[in-house]
């Protein structure tokens, strides 16, 4: 009722036979579900009241009404985990490490970040200075690049299940930081984030959904395409 979501272990799994499954989606794929007629569907109805109905009834109402189904599906939520043992700038640094870094030594957590864009260099130095971390900056063999070496808080190279423990405040930090590294904001304010790691894509969608931003995942299969390397 209050929009709060929690991650819990299911009490049981319900598995029933169905002759037909229906793919329900809108143009932006912010709603994208595959349902049977017996599925229970939760949505916002008249005066924003929370309602639950069988999908068979929703189809019937959609076909009867001139304007189709009038309910609104819930695409965002509020989530607050128990919190992780990283401070604000350690979280910001891990966003940089996961997106643009590589771990040289897992035992010592020694990390290297090789970047070209000036805005990324300035951002990384700002984070490192706020943490009071010593770092080494050297020119890379690639023109325009610099390599930064430092000791990272963790050795993660993907946002795995541990990160779902983030508090609401920590999730908001990630949502504000992650776009500096593998993201962008276009002229009309749309935010995009790119990764080749599905685990990371799922978590970043979770982050923005829990911060009130409707978010979707799309796949760009670029296998076989020519890639002009060297740009980050």
């Amino acid at each position: 009722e209050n929009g709060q979501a929690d991650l819990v272990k299911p009490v049981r799994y319900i598995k029933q036979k169905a002759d037909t499954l229906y793919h329900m989606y809108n143009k932006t794929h912010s709603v994208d579900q595959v349902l049977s007629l017996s599925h229970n569907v939760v949505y916002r109805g008249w005066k924003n009241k929370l309602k639950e109905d069988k999908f068979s009834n929703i189809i019937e109402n959609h076909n009867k009404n001139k304007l189709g189904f009038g309910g609104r599906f819930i695409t965002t939520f509020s989530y607050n985990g128990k919190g992780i043992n990283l401070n604000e700038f350690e979280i910001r640094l891990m966003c940089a490490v996961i997106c643009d870094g590589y771990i040289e030594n897992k035992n010592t957590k020694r990390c290297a970040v090789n970047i070209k864009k000036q805005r990324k260099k300035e951002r990384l130095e700002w984070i490192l200075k706020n943490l009071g971390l010593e770092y080494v900056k050297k020119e890379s063999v690639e023109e325009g690049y610099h390599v930064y070496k430092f000791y990272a808080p963790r050795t993660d190279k993907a946002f795995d299940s541990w990160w779902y423990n983030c508090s609401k405040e920590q999730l908001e930090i990630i949502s504000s930081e992650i776009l500096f590294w593998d993201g962008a904001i276009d002229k009309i304010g749309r935010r995009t984030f790119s990764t080749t790691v599905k685990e990371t894509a799922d978590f970043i969608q979770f982050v923005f959904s829990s911060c009130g931003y409707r978010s979707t995942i799309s796949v760009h299969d670029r296998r076989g395409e020519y890639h002009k390397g060297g740009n980050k």
Side-chain angles (χ1 to χ4, degrees):
E1 284 285 352
N2 64 3
Q4 181 72 30
D6 294 300
L7 294 175
V8 298
K9 289 184 178 180
V11 176
R12 63 191 179 109
Y13 291 93
I14 300 170
K15 187 176 180 181
Q16 298 175 345
K17 288 184 177 180
D19 294 326
T20 305
L21 292 174
Y22 297 83
H23 188 191
M24 179 181 68
Y25 61 93
N26 58 8
K27 288 181 180 179
T28 62
H29 285 268
S30 57
V31 174
D32 195 331
Q33 301 182 60
V34 176
L35 303 168
S36 70
L37 293 174
S38 62
H39 262 101
N40 290 322
V41 180
V42 178
Y43 63 94
R44 295 283 183 186
W46 176 249
K47 292 186 177 179
N48 209 34
K49 287 185 178 179
L50 200 65
K51 298 192 70 175
E52 184 177 336
D53 205 351
K54 294 287 185 186
F55 187 57
S56 56
N57 293 332
I58 288 177
I59 289 179
E60 186 179 348
N61 291 335
H62 177 75
N63 292 331
K64 277 183 180 178
N65 296 331
K66 208 171 187 180
L67 298 176
F69 176 66
R72 183 174 65 85
F73 293 101
I74 300 164
T75 57
T76 63
F77 50 87
S78 177
Y79 172 81
N80 189 25
K82 64 182 181 181
I84 59 174
N85 60 342
L86 296 180
N87 65 36
E88 175 190 344
F89 285 97
E90 287 174 329
I91 292 172
R92 292 186 187 279
L93 184 58
M94 285 309 302
C95 287
V97 170
I98 289 173
C99 291
D100 279 329
Y102 60 93
I103 306 300
E104 292 186 326
N105 188 319
K106 282 197 171 184
N107 293 325
T108 64
K109 300 180 185 176
R110 186 169 175 82
C111 174
V113 176
N114 188 30
I115 46 180
K116 183 179 183 180
K117 290 181 179 177
Q118 184 60 29
R119 66 170 178 82
K120 286 190 175 185
K121 294 174 185 178
E122 291 173 0
R123 187 75 181 180
L124 183 59
E125 290 176 19
W126 175 72
I127 293 170
L128 291 167
K129 285 174 182 176
N130 272 280
L131 284 170
L133 275 181
E134 291 184 4
Y135 64 92
V136 174
K137 178 183 178 182
K138 291 183 178 179
E139 287 189 9
S140 175
V141 292
E142 300 172 275
E143 187 179 352
Y145 281 79
H146 279 90
V147 179
Y148 293 81
K149 295 192 176 186
F150 52 87
Y151 293 100
R154 293 174 60 86
T155 59
D156 305 353
K157 275 303 293 166
F159 287 104
D160 59 19
S161 59
W162 180 82
W163 289 89
Y164 287 85
N165 293 309
C166 284
S167 66
K168 186 172 182 62
E169 182 183 3
Q170 289 171 330
L171 292 168
E172 287 172 350
I173 292 168
I174 294 171
S175 73
S176 70
E177 185 64 37
I178 200 69
L179 299 184
F180 282 98
W181 302 100
D182 279 345
I185 303 176
D186 67 15
K187 292 179 180 178
I188 62 173
R190 288 180 301 189
R191 298 166 171 85
T192 57
F193 173 80
S194 301
T195 180
T196 58
V197 182
K198 179 63 163 59
E199 194 176 23
T200 290
D202 287 339
F203 177 72
I204 296 303
Q205 184 187 32
F206 177 86
V207 167
F208 280 97
S209 297
S210 68
C211 292
Y213 300 99
R214 186 172 59 186
S215 56
T216 63
I217 291 180
S218 58
V219 177
H220 298 279
D221 189 346
R222 301 177 67 178
R223 287 175 295 184
E225 291 182 14
Y226 173 75
H227 173 62
K228 184 179 179 181
N231 293 323
K232 279 198 173 184

mmCIF file of all heavy atoms in Angstrom, residues 153-182:
data_model
loop_
_atom_site.group_PDB
_atom_site.id
_atom_site.type_symbol
_atom_site.label_atom_id
_atom_site.label_comp_id
_atom_site.label_asym_id
_atom_site.label_seq_id
_atom_site.Cartn_x
_atom_site.Cartn_y
_atom_site.Cartn_z
ATOM 1 N N PRO A 153 38.463 -0.334 -1.969
ATOM 2 C CA PRO A 153 37.782 -0.888 -0.790
ATOM 3 C C PRO A 153 37.432 -2.368 -0.960
ATOM 4 O O PRO A 153 37.420 -3.120 0.000
ATOM 5 C CB PRO A 153 36.510 -0.045 -0.679
ATOM 6 C CG PRO A 153 36.763 1.181 -1.490
ATOM 7 C CD PRO A 153 37.712 0.773 -2.577
ATOM 8 N N ARG A 154 37.125 -2.760 -2.219
ATOM 9 C CA ARG A 154 36.730 -4.137 -2.517
ATOM 10 C C ARG A 154 37.301 -4.542 -3.884
ATOM 11 O O ARG A 154 37.811 -3.682 -4.619
ATOM 12 C CB ARG A 154 35.191 -4.269 -2.545
ATOM 13 C CG ARG A 154 34.531 -4.066 -1.191
ATOM 14 C CD ARG A 154 33.005 -4.071 -1.322
ATOM 15 N NE ARG A 154 32.490 -5.331 -1.857
ATOM 16 C CZ ARG A 154 32.220 -6.404 -1.125
ATOM 17 N NH1 ARG A 154 32.420 -6.388 0.190
ATOM 18 N NH2 ARG A 154 31.735 -7.497 -1.677
ATOM 19 N N THR A 155 37.172 -5.825 -4.214
ATOM 20 C CA THR A 155 37.708 -6.319 -5.487
ATOM 21 C C THR A 155 36.607 -6.687 -6.474
ATOM 22 O O THR A 155 36.854 -7.376 -7.454
ATOM 23 C CB THR A 155 38.612 -7.549 -5.254
ATOM 24 O OG1 THR A 155 37.836 -8.587 -4.613
ATOM 25 C CG2 THR A 155 39.815 -7.193 -4.395
ATOM 26 N N ASP A 156 35.385 -6.224 -6.221
ATOM 27 C CA ASP A 156 34.261 -6.544 -7.118
ATOM 28 C C ASP A 156 34.490 -5.986 -8.520
ATOM 29 O O ASP A 156 34.974 -4.858 -8.674
ATOM 30 C CB ASP A 156 32.954 -5.948 -6.580
ATOM 31 C CG ASP A 156 32.657 -6.384 -5.162
ATOM 32 O OD1 ASP A 156 33.371 -7.242 -4.649
ATOM 33 O OD2 ASP A 156 31.699 -5.855 -4.575
ATOM 34 N N LYS A 157 34.080 -6.766 -9.525
ATOM 35 C CA LYS A 157 34.037 -6.262 -10.900
ATOM 36 C C LYS A 157 32.631 -6.356 -11.462
ATOM 37 O O LYS A 157 32.411 -6.247 -12.667
ATOM 38 C CB LYS A 157 35.033 -7.027 -11.777
ATOM 39 C CG LYS A 157 36.451 -6.463 -11.726
ATOM 40 C CD LYS A 157 36.497 -4.972 -12.122
ATOM 41 C CE LYS A 157 36.139 -4.795 -13.609
ATOM 42 N NZ LYS A 157 35.855 -3.354 -13.910
ATOM 43 N N ALA A 158 31.671 -6.579 -10.584
ATOM 44 C CA ALA A 158 30.248 -6.571 -10.938
ATOM 45 C C ALA A 158 29.471 -6.279 -9.664
ATOM 46 O O ALA A 158 29.961 -6.489 -8.549
ATOM 47 C CB ALA A 158 29.817 -7.908 -11.531
ATOM 48 N N PHE A 159 28.264 -5.762 -9.829
ATOM 49 C CA PHE A 159 27.393 -5.532 -8.670
ATOM 50 C C PHE A 159 26.646 -6.833 -8.384
ATOM 51 O O PHE A 159 25.593 -7.106 -8.973
ATOM 52 C CB PHE A 159 26.412 -4.397 -8.961
ATOM 53 C CG PHE A 159 27.046 -3.034 -8.977
ATOM 54 C CD1 PHE A 159 27.291 -2.385 -10.176
ATOM 55 C CD2 PHE A 159 27.382 -2.398 -7.790
ATOM 56 C CE1 PHE A 159 27.863 -1.119 -10.196
ATOM 57 C CE2 PHE A 159 27.960 -1.130 -7.799
ATOM 58 C CZ PHE A 159 28.207 -0.495 -9.004
ATOM 59 N N ASP A 160 27.202 -7.653 -7.487
ATOM 60 C CA ASP A 160 26.605 -8.946 -7.190
ATOM 61 C C ASP A 160 25.551 -8.818 -6.094
ATOM 62 O O ASP A 160 25.160 -7.709 -5.713
ATOM 63 C CB ASP A 160 27.687 -9.967 -6.823
ATOM 64 C CG ASP A 160 28.512 -9.531 -5.604
ATOM 65 O OD1 ASP A 160 28.040 -8.653 -4.841
ATOM 66 O OD2 ASP A 160 29.619 -10.066 -5.421
ATOM 67 N N SER A 161 25.096 -9.950 -5.547
ATOM 68 C CA SER A 161 23.989 -9.956 -4.587
ATOM 69 C C SER A 161 24.295 -9.165 -3.318
ATOM 70 O O SER A 161 23.382 -8.661 -2.655
ATOM 71 C CB SER A 161 23.624 -11.398 -4.224
ATOM 72 O OG SER A 161 24.741 -12.066 -3.657
ATOM 73 N N TRP A 162 25.582 -9.034 -2.955
ATOM 74 C CA TRP A 162 25.959 -8.289 -1.744
ATOM 75 C C TRP A 162 25.471 -6.850 -1.796
ATOM 76 O O TRP A 162 25.083 -6.273 -0.774
ATOM 77 C CB TRP A 162 27.485 -8.329 -1.592
ATOM 78 C CG TRP A 162 28.000 -7.613 -0.389
ATOM 79 C CD1 TRP A 162 28.062 -8.080 0.899
ATOM 80 C CD2 TRP A 162 28.548 -6.276 -0.339
ATOM 81 N NE1 TRP A 162 28.622 -7.133 1.735
ATOM 82 C CE2 TRP A 162 28.929 -6.016 1.008
ATOM 83 C CE3 TRP A 162 28.772 -5.289 -1.299
ATOM 84 C CZ2 TRP A 162 29.503 -4.813 1.409
ATOM 85 C CZ3 TRP A 162 29.337 -4.088 -0.895
ATOM 86 C CH2 TRP A 162 29.695 -3.851 0.440
ATOM 87 N N TRP A 163 25.454 -6.253 -2.980
ATOM 88 C CA TRP A 163 25.096 -4.841 -3.126
ATOM 89 C C TRP A 163 23.614 -4.564 -2.879
ATOM 90 O O TRP A 163 23.228 -3.424 -2.628
ATOM 91 C CB TRP A 163 25.508 -4.344 -4.511
ATOM 92 C CG TRP A 163 26.995 -4.217 -4.640
ATOM 93 C CD1 TRP A 163 27.882 -5.174 -5.041
ATOM 94 C CD2 TRP A 163 27.779 -3.059 -4.329
ATOM 95 N NE1 TRP A 163 29.171 -4.692 -5.003
ATOM 96 C CE2 TRP A 163 29.135 -3.394 -4.575
ATOM 97 C CE3 TRP A 163 27.481 -1.780 -3.880
ATOM 98 C CZ2 TRP A 163 30.177 -2.490 -4.375
ATOM 99 C CZ3 TRP A 163 28.514 -0.876 -3.676
ATOM 100 C CH2 TRP A 163 29.842 -1.234 -3.926
ATOM 101 N N TYR A 164 22.778 -5.614 -2.910
ATOM 102 C CA TYR A 164 21.351 -5.412 -2.645
ATOM 103 C C TYR A 164 21.071 -5.110 -1.172
ATOM 104 O O TYR A 164 19.938 -4.820 -0.803
ATOM 105 C CB TYR A 164 20.549 -6.636 -3.092
ATOM 106 C CG TYR A 164 20.428 -6.750 -4.598
ATOM 107 C CD1 TYR A 164 21.428 -7.350 -5.351
ATOM 108 C CD2 TYR A 164 19.318 -6.249 -5.270
ATOM 109 C CE1 TYR A 164 21.336 -7.450 -6.724
ATOM 110 C CE2 TYR A 164 19.201 -6.343 -6.644
ATOM 111 C CZ TYR A 164 20.225 -6.940 -7.372
ATOM 112 O OH TYR A 164 20.128 -7.030 -8.742
ATOM 113 N N ASN A 165 22.111 -5.174 -0.339
ATOM 114 C CA ASN A 165 21.961 -4.792 1.065
ATOM 115 C C ASN A 165 22.032 -3.285 1.272
ATOM 116 O O ASN A 165 21.855 -2.807 2.400
ATOM 117 C CB ASN A 165 23.058 -5.459 1.904
ATOM 118 C CG ASN A 165 22.911 -6.966 1.968
ATOM 119 O OD1 ASN A 165 21.839 -7.475 2.285
ATOM 120 N ND2 ASN A 165 23.976 -7.689 1.651
ATOM 121 N N CYS A 166 22.307 -2.530 0.222
ATOM 122 C CA CYS A 166 22.434 -1.069 0.349
ATOM 123 C C CYS A 166 21.197 -0.440 0.974
ATOM 124 O O CYS A 166 20.064 -0.853 0.700
ATOM 125 C CB CYS A 166 22.659 -0.439 -1.029
ATOM 126 S SG CYS A 166 24.328 -0.641 -1.679
ATOM 127 N N SER A 167 21.424 0.564 1.788
ATOM 128 C CA SER A 167 20.317 1.358 2.315
ATOM 129 C C SER A 167 19.787 2.269 1.201
ATOM 130 O O SER A 167 20.415 2.402 0.144
ATOM 131 C CB SER A 167 20.790 2.211 3.493
ATOM 132 O OG SER A 167 21.729 3.184 3.034
ATOM 133 N N LYS A 168 18.665 2.905 1.450
ATOM 134 C CA LYS A 168 18.090 3.815 0.455
ATOM 135 C C LYS A 168 19.072 4.940 0.124
ATOM 136 O O LYS A 168 19.254 5.296 -1.045
ATOM 137 C CB LYS A 168 16.774 4.396 0.968
ATOM 138 C CG LYS A 168 16.030 5.248 -0.057
ATOM 139 C CD LYS A 168 14.663 5.633 0.441
ATOM 140 C CE LYS A 168 13.916 6.450 -0.605
ATOM 141 N NZ LYS A 168 13.690 5.694 -1.851
ATOM 142 N N GLU A 169 19.718 5.489 1.148
ATOM 143 C CA GLU A 169 20.684 6.561 0.941
ATOM 144 C C GLU A 169 21.857 6.079 0.085
ATOM 145 O O GLU A 169 22.333 6.795 -0.805
ATOM 146 C CB GLU A 169 21.194 7.063 2.295
ATOM 147 C CG GLU A 169 22.180 8.218 2.189
ATOM 148 C CD GLU A 169 22.724 8.651 3.532
ATOM 149 O OE1 GLU A 169 22.387 8.014 4.552
ATOM 150 O OE2 GLU A 169 23.500 9.624 3.571
ATOM 151 N N GLN A 170 22.322 4.855 0.319
ATOM 152 C CA GLN A 170 23.441 4.305 -0.445
ATOM 153 C C GLN A 170 23.040 4.030 -1.900
ATOM 154 O O GLN A 170 23.836 4.233 -2.823
ATOM 155 C CB GLN A 170 23.954 3.036 0.230
ATOM 156 C CG GLN A 170 24.674 3.320 1.541
ATOM 157 C CD GLN A 170 24.994 2.075 2.337
ATOM 158 O OE1 GLN A 170 24.288 1.067 2.272
ATOM 159 N NE2 GLN A 170 26.070 2.131 3.110
ATOM 160 N N LEU A 171 21.817 3.589 -2.117
ATOM 161 C CA LEU A 171 21.323 3.381 -3.477
ATOM 162 C C LEU A 171 21.252 4.706 -4.236
ATOM 163 O O LEU A 171 21.555 4.768 -5.436
ATOM 164 C CB LEU A 171 19.953 2.710 -3.456
ATOM 165 C CG LEU A 171 19.920 1.256 -2.964
ATOM 166 C CD1 LEU A 171 18.484 0.810 -2.718
ATOM 167 C CD2 LEU A 171 20.594 0.319 -3.968
ATOM 168 N N GLU A 172 20.870 5.751 -3.550
ATOM 169 C CA GLU A 172 20.799 7.077 -4.175
ATOM 170 C C GLU A 172 22.202 7.581 -4.547
ATOM 171 O O GLU A 172 22.370 8.254 -5.565
ATOM 172 C CB GLU A 172 20.091 8.058 -3.241
ATOM 173 C CG GLU A 172 18.585 7.806 -3.163
ATOM 174 C CD GLU A 172 17.883 8.631 -2.096
ATOM 175 O OE1 GLU A 172 18.591 9.265 -1.293
ATOM 176 O OE2 GLU A 172 16.638 8.610 -2.066
ATOM 177 N N ILE A 173 23.196 7.247 -3.731
ATOM 178 C CA ILE A 173 24.587 7.607 -4.054
ATOM 179 C C ILE A 173 25.017 6.912 -5.351
ATOM 180 O O ILE A 173 25.617 7.529 -6.233
ATOM 181 C CB ILE A 173 25.532 7.227 -2.892
ATOM 182 C CG1 ILE A 173 25.264 8.112 -1.671
ATOM 183 C CG2 ILE A 173 26.993 7.348 -3.321
ATOM 184 C CD1 ILE A 173 25.934 7.626 -0.404
ATOM 185 N N ILE A 174 24.691 5.627 -5.463
ATOM 186 C CA ILE A 174 25.037 4.878 -6.685
ATOM 187 C C ILE A 174 24.334 5.465 -7.900
ATOM 188 O O ILE A 174 24.942 5.634 -8.961
ATOM 189 C CB ILE A 174 24.690 3.387 -6.517
ATOM 190 C CG1 ILE A 174 25.576 2.762 -5.438
ATOM 191 C CG2 ILE A 174 24.871 2.630 -7.845
ATOM 192 C CD1 ILE A 174 25.175 1.347 -5.047
ATOM 193 N N SER A 175 23.058 5.812 -7.756
ATOM 194 C CA SER A 175 22.311 6.365 -8.891
ATOM 195 C C SER A 175 22.899 7.694 -9.351
ATOM 196 O O SER A 175 22.861 8.026 -10.537
ATOM 197 C CB SER A 175 20.825 6.544 -8.534
ATOM 198 O OG SER A 175 20.629 7.636 -7.646
ATOM 199 N N SER A 176 23.467 8.458 -8.419
ATOM 200 C CA SER A 176 24.054 9.752 -8.780
ATOM 201 C C SER A 176 25.471 9.607 -9.334
ATOM 202 O O SER A 176 25.947 10.471 -10.069
ATOM 203 C CB SER A 176 24.082 10.686 -7.566
ATOM 204 O OG SER A 176 25.019 10.250 -6.602
ATOM 205 N N GLU A 177 26.159 8.514 -8.987
ATOM 206 C CA GLU A 177 27.559 8.350 -9.382
ATOM 207 C C GLU A 177 27.758 7.522 -10.639
ATOM 208 O O GLU A 177 28.637 7.804 -11.459
ATOM 209 C CB GLU A 177 28.347 7.702 -8.235
ATOM 210 C CG GLU A 177 29.842 7.592 -8.471
ATOM 211 C CD GLU A 177 30.520 8.949 -8.583
ATOM 212 O OE1 GLU A 177 30.120 9.884 -7.852
ATOM 213 O OE2 GLU A 177 31.447 9.089 -9.402
ATOM 214 N N ILE A 178 26.956 6.494 -10.817
ATOM 215 C CA ILE A 178 27.232 5.485 -11.849
ATOM 216 C C ILE A 178 27.230 6.068 -13.260
ATOM 217 O O ILE A 178 27.969 5.603 -14.137
ATOM 218 C CB ILE A 178 26.219 4.311 -11.731
ATOM 219 C CG1 ILE A 178 26.758 3.065 -12.432
ATOM 220 C CG2 ILE A 178 24.836 4.691 -12.257
ATOM 221 C CD1 ILE A 178 27.940 2.436 -11.737
ATOM 222 N N LEU A 179 26.438 7.118 -13.494
ATOM 223 C CA LEU A 179 26.351 7.699 -14.840
ATOM 224 C C LEU A 179 27.616 8.455 -15.231
ATOM 225 O O LEU A 179 27.838 8.722 -16.405
ATOM 226 C CB LEU A 179 25.126 8.614 -14.946
ATOM 227 C CG LEU A 179 23.767 7.944 -14.723
ATOM 228 C CD1 LEU A 179 22.640 8.940 -14.946
ATOM 229 C CD2 LEU A 179 23.583 6.740 -15.623
ATOM 230 N N PHE A 180 28.466 8.805 -14.259
ATOM 231 C CA PHE A 180 29.737 9.446 -14.586
ATOM 232 C C PHE A 180 30.685 8.480 -15.289
ATOM 233 O O PHE A 180 31.612 8.888 -15.982
ATOM 234 C CB PHE A 180 30.432 9.950 -13.311
ATOM 235 C CG PHE A 180 29.868 11.235 -12.778
ATOM 236 C CD1 PHE A 180 28.950 11.227 -11.743
ATOM 237 C CD2 PHE A 180 30.245 12.465 -13.310
ATOM 238 C CE1 PHE A 180 28.416 12.407 -11.241
ATOM 239 C CE2 PHE A 180 29.726 13.652 -12.814
ATOM 240 C CZ PHE A 180 28.821 13.618 -11.780
ATOM 241 N N TRP A 181 30.438 7.178 -15.126
ATOM 242 C CA TRP A 181 31.396 6.182 -15.589
ATOM 243 C C TRP A 181 30.929 5.451 -16.843
ATOM 244 O O TRP A 181 31.538 5.574 -17.895
ATOM 245 C CB TRP A 181 31.721 5.231 -14.429
ATOM 246 C CG TRP A 181 32.266 6.031 -13.287
ATOM 247 C CD1 TRP A 181 31.605 6.451 -12.167
ATOM 248 C CD2 TRP A 181 33.573 6.622 -13.219
ATOM 249 N NE1 TRP A 181 32.410 7.246 -11.396
ATOM 250 C CE2 TRP A 181 33.632 7.358 -12.020
ATOM 251 C CE3 TRP A 181 34.700 6.567 -14.052
ATOM 252 C CZ2 TRP A 181 34.780 8.059 -11.631
ATOM 253 C CZ3 TRP A 181 35.837 7.256 -13.653
ATOM 254 C CH2 TRP A 181 35.874 7.985 -12.465
ATOM 255 N N ASP A 182 29.860 4.707 -16.766
ATOM 256 C CA ASP A 182 29.362 4.007 -17.962
ATOM 257 C C ASP A 182 27.961 4.474 -18.316
ATOM 258 O O ASP A 182 27.114 3.682 -18.733
ATOM 259 C CB ASP A 182 29.372 2.484 -17.743
ATOM 260 C CG ASP A 182 30.747 1.891 -17.964
ATOM 261 O OD1 ASP A 182 31.598 2.578 -18.553
ATOM 262 O OD2 ASP A 182 30.983 0.750 -17.536
#
